[in-house]
Amino acid sequence: NAGVTQTPKFQVLKTGQSMTLQCAQDMNHNSMYWYRQDPGMGLRLIYYSASEGTTDKGEVPNGYNVSRLNKREFSLRLESAAPSQTSVYFCASSAGRNNQPQHFGDGTRLSIL
Amino acid sequence: AQSVTQPDIHITVSEGASLELRCNYSYGATPYLFWYVQSPGQGLQLLLKYFSGDTLVQGIKGFEAEFKRSQSSFNLRKPSVHWSDAAEYFCAVGPYNTDKLIFGTGTRLQVFP
């Protein structure tokens, strides 16, 4: 009963390095999401995918790229990491339209020095 | 534009006391409303949701929330708080027939014995 699995759980990068955060869900959900969580700002949507092969920008997409590899997997890539991208990143999934609840992974804590 | 406001950043209560966390939303029609809880180091877990019908919604862990259209509010309540309820609580609104959520900035609950 894994739900949404994120890897890695922790990562430290140097400015300018690249990295891909991985997310997989086993609930056969159509929609997947990437958020970042910063103190006092709640969760902000970076990108989301309504179905396999489609992606769309959220509120804060700059500096990120995503890939919906298949129905299960949705990855987030930082091409050239910046200190402003230090955050906790959450992946979530939902069944799709009609406002089905989102299910969250445990997060990736990313520090960029 | 849709938005969610959680006016209280931090609330402290004694174990056994009652609790009410405030949430106000801005949306032109009747929204879909959610409350999530986040324990330290964890992802978000759904507490309850309101889609339509009875304005008093029951959730997990003894929580309930009441939708008040006239006040644009969806406050979370619990009659008797347990130490394990210490966490951060997020209110979210989902515009009709979309698969995205807008989150409030969260309320951190501290419980004293």
Side-chain angles (χ1 to χ4, degrees), chain B:
Chain B
Q2 303 95 7
S3 66
V4 178
T5 301
Q6 294 180 248
D8 303 305
I9 297 172
H10 186 207
I11 284 182
T12 301
V13 299
S14 298
E15 190 169 19
S18 63
L19 173 69
E20 182 169 28
L21 302 182
R22 295 184 290 165
C23 173
N24 293 97
Y25 66 89
S26 173
Y27 182 61
T30 300
Y32 293 74
L33 295 160
F34 305 81
W35 274 100
Y36 285 85
V37 60
Q38 183 182 30
S39 298
Q42 306 271 321
L44 278 70
Q45 180 185 18
L46 179 70
L47 280 177
L48 48 79
K49 61 190 179 193
Y50 172 77
F51 284 1
S52 65
D54 193 346
T55 56
L56 186 62
V57 180
Q58 301 297 320
I60 62 171
K61 305 185 180 188
F63 285 92
E64 66 178 26
E66 186 172 12
F67 170 61
K68 293 186 177 180
R69 183 192 306 273
S70 61
Q71 299 177 19
S72 296
S73 69
F74 188 56
N75 294 349
L76 182 71
R77 302 195 295 246
K78 187 169 185 179
S80 178
V81 171
H82 188 262
W83 64 267
S84 61
D85 294 324
E88 189 150 21
Y89 292 80
F90 292 92
C91 182
V93 60
Y96 175 72
N97 203 30
T98 73
D99 51 2
K100 291 194 281 187
L101 292 177
I102 300 164
F103 285 87
T105 52
T107 297
R108 181 165 298 279
L109 175 65
Q110 193 170 7
V111 181
F112 281 112

Side-chain angles (χ1 to χ4, degrees), chain A residues 30-50:
Chain A
N30 292 315
S31 298
M32 296 187 73
Y33 313 80
W34 276 106
Y35 294 90
R36 60 179 289 172
Q37 183 179 29
D38 302 291
M41 303 192 75
L43 277 78
R44 293 181 292 169
L45 182 66
I46 305 171
Y47 270 94
Y48 80 103
S49 169

